[in-house]
Amino acid sequence: MAIRLGDIAPDFTADSTAGPISLHAHLGSSWGILFSHPKDFTPVCTTELGAVAALKPEWDKRDVKVVGLSVDSVADHHAWAGDIADVTGSALNFPLVADPDRTVATLYDMIHPNADSTLTVRSVFVIGPDKKVKLTLTYPAATGRNFDELLRVVDSLQRTAQHKVATPANWTPGDAVIIVPSLSDTEAAEAFPGFETLKPYLRTTPDPR
Ligand code: BEZ
């Protein structure tokens, strides 16, 4: 069954390049990103895994633990890791789950048979500290993901989790944010003194970061 926003991210235990991993225990109280790759030793995936590894300081800054998944064995993953480091200059520094029997891929509905009957699509699940799914993305095999965008949405998710705000189109940290409509003007004035009213339903305030 499809996983929807607000659902508890299904827990699983599986082998990975970092040894056996149980998702919920591994994430602990951190944020998490589980993302799938169609197959080992494929070109787009190689660039993606290097790109995610290179962003480790950014994930750490946001308390995000990233977990990759590919429907091949741990032995294949370890062999492929050498290529990833060679090509991208960044060694794998997060667990890559082995899912040769597609148990996790099935649990997370990562195989879309009308796209490909055996390989996973490029799924992303952002998981909050409460283990609920906060954001999903689905890309086809031939389109590599933009991980800077993933950092941006994590920034938005964390901001909107901490404050009664939403983020507008193309928001990046430091830009003004939107006060959620459920807050009355009186409440808004208390929380965000000096906020601006563009329309009664569109009130902005400086980024509260
Ligand atoms: C890739 O990762 O390069 C890839 C995987 C499956 C289909 C097309 C591209």
Side-chain angles (χ1 to χ4, degrees):
M1 202 175 87
I3 294 172
R4 296 179 173 171
L5 302 189
D7 291 356
I8 295 289
D11 198 13
F12 62 82
T13 300
D15 270 344
S16 83
T17 49
I21 182 174
S22 292
L23 184 70
H24 285 197
H26 175 73
L27 296 182
S29 59
S30 298
W31 287 71
I33 293 183
L34 174 67
F35 65 117
S36 61
H37 295 276
K39 186 129 193 70
D40 289 9
F41 302 104
T42 51
V44 177
C45 299
T46 302
T47 64
E48 284 196 327
L49 288 171
V52 172
L55 288 172
K56 180 165 173 46
E58 298 300 325
W59 307 124
D60 289 349
K61 210 187 292 176
R62 292 160 177 81
D63 190 24
V64 174
K65 290 186 178 170
V66 291
V67 176
L69 176 145
S70 181
V71 290
D72 286 299
S73 66
V74 170
D76 280 350
H77 287 1
H78 281 304
W80 184 29
D83 291 355
I84 293 164
D86 260 7
V87 170
T88 68
S90 298
L92 267 189
N93 50 22
F94 55 88
L96 183 57
V97 168
D99 193 31
D101 60 5
R102 292 156 176 72
T103 304
V104 181
T106 304
L107 189 63
Y108 274 81
D109 198 28
M110 290 166 167
I111 295 175
H112 296 197
N114 291 329
D116 189 295
S117 58
T118 55
L119 308 182
T120 64
V121 290
R122 297 185 193 281
S123 300
V124 181
F125 297 87
V126 180
I127 302 163
D130 58 1
K131 306 291 179 297
K132 289 186 179 169
V133 174
K134 305 297 180 187
L135 180 132
T136 64
L137 287 174
T138 306
Y139 277 46
T143 302
R145 286 157 285 200
N146 181 331
F147 293 97
D148 289 333
E149 166 63 0
L150 215 43
L151 287 174
R152 190 192 76 86
V153 295
V154 167
D155 285 334
S156 170
L157 290 168
Q158 294 187 341
R159 200 70 92 254
T160 60
Q162 286 159 8
H163 304 278
K164 291 191 162 52
V165 300
T167 59
N170 301 326
W171 177 86
T172 56
D175 292 349
V177 298
I178 292 169
I179 299 168
V180 292
S182 59
L183 228 54
S184 69
D185 277 351
T186 311
E187 291 166 328
E190 234 172 78
F192 308 105
F195 72 87
E196 242 188 276
T197 302
L198 306 180
K199 295 285 176 191
Y201 56 85
L202 175 46
R203 301 163 299 175
T204 62
T205 190
D207 186 355
R209 65 178 162 179

